[in-house]
């Protein structure tokens, strides 16, 4: 139950901070796929956490 409350606070916070993070990624002279790789890692971690939560 408390997990949903955390999400309700985290999602608006990410919505406000995400443009700043994307701008800083674009300012770096790295490979073009760096933001996509970072988001893939976030999705993978979320998937593993959710899978572990349902296994218990």
């Amino acid at each position: 139950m408390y997990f949903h409350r955390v999400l309700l606070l985290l999602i608006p916070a990410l919505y406000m901070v995400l443009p700043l993070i994307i701008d800083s990624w674009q300012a770096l002279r790295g490979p073009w796929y760096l933001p996509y790789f970072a988001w893939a890692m976030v999705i993978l971690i979320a998937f593993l956490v959710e899978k572990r939560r349902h296994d218990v």
Side-chain angles (χ1 to χ4, degrees):
M1 186 68 173
Y2 292 108
F3 183 70
H4 298 290
R5 292 180 186 173
V6 171
L7 280 178
L8 287 175
L9 292 174
L10 186 63
I11 291 173
L14 283 175
Y15 184 73
M16 291 185 289
V17 174
L18 193 60
L20 298 173
I21 294 172
I22 291 173
D23 288 342
S24 66
W25 275 343
Q26 290 175 348
L28 295 175
R29 296 291 178 198
W32 63 269
Y33 55 84
L34 185 62
Y36 300 106
F37 181 73
W39 278 114
M41 290 295 110
V42 168
I43 292 169
L44 180 65
I45 290 169
F47 174 75
L48 293 174
V49 166
E50 187 67 22
K51 183 179 176 187
R52 179 179 291 175
R53 199 174 112 187
H54 285 294
D55 287 345
V56 173

